[in-house]
Amino acid sequence: MSYNIQEKDGVILIEIPTRLDASNSQELKDIIAKYVADKKYKFIIDLTNTEFIDSSGLGAIVSKIAHCRANGGDVKIVVTNDRIKEIFNITHLDKVLKEFKTVQEALEEFNNTKNE
């Protein structure tokens, strides 16, 4: 499975496919780790098209969050699917990751944080 990856204003935008599970979560972990190794610490994980996520997918999303935050970055998620939102709620990851309705909103938050 392939991820669509873009860089906008120093933020790495990763568009997740319809499923994020054990079959493709390691690839996501590797992608995030590669960017972190290159000193990129700001990520937006776009789950707009995602219909299913399991525990390995959740683990991939949070795999480098502490490292990113320790270096002035963060991981933000864009989620519109109510079932996916419920998973974040049940696992309490909604307390760890800030949810946005659009990529633009998440980008604006990164840009506003940069100006403070």
Side-chain angles (χ1 to χ4, degrees), residues 36-37 40-41 62-74:
V36 167
K40 305 277 185 171
Y41 304 113
V62 299
S63 64
K64 294 288 184 186
I65 194 168
H67 195 86
C68 289
R69 288 180 177 168
N71 287 281
D74 204 353

Side-chain angles (χ1 to χ4, degrees), residues 85-97:
K85 284 182 182 185
E86 186 176 350
I87 291 168
F88 280 96
N89 188 314
I90 290 168
T91 59
H92 300 287
L93 286 175
D94 61 331
K95 309 282 190 271
V96 177
L97 296 162

Side-chain angles (χ1 to χ4, degrees), residues 109-116:
E109 171 125 335
F110 270 125
N111 289 334
N112 290 340
T113 304
K114 184 171 35 175
N115 297 330
E116 291 178 357

Side-chain angles (χ1 to χ4, degrees), residues 2 11 17 25 28 41 43 49 55 61 65-66 68 72 75-76 79 82 84 90 92 95 99 107 110 112-113:
S2 169
V11 178
S25 61
L28 178 60
Y41 304 113
F43 293 89
N49 298 318
S55 60
I61 290 172
I65 194 168
C68 289
V75 177
K76 300 180 187 306
V79 58
D82 287 337
I84 303 296
I90 290 168
H92 300 287
K95 309 282 190 271
E99 295 178 11
L107 272 173
F110 270 125
N112 290 340
T113 304

Side-chain angles (χ1 to χ4, degrees), residues 1 11 17 19 26 33 37 49 51-52 57-58 64 66 81 87-88:
M1 221 168 262
V11 178
R19 296 180 64 86
Q26 186 60 49
N49 298 318
E51 297 172 3
F52 178 84
L58 294 172
K64 294 288 184 186
N81 182 307
I87 291 168
F88 280 96

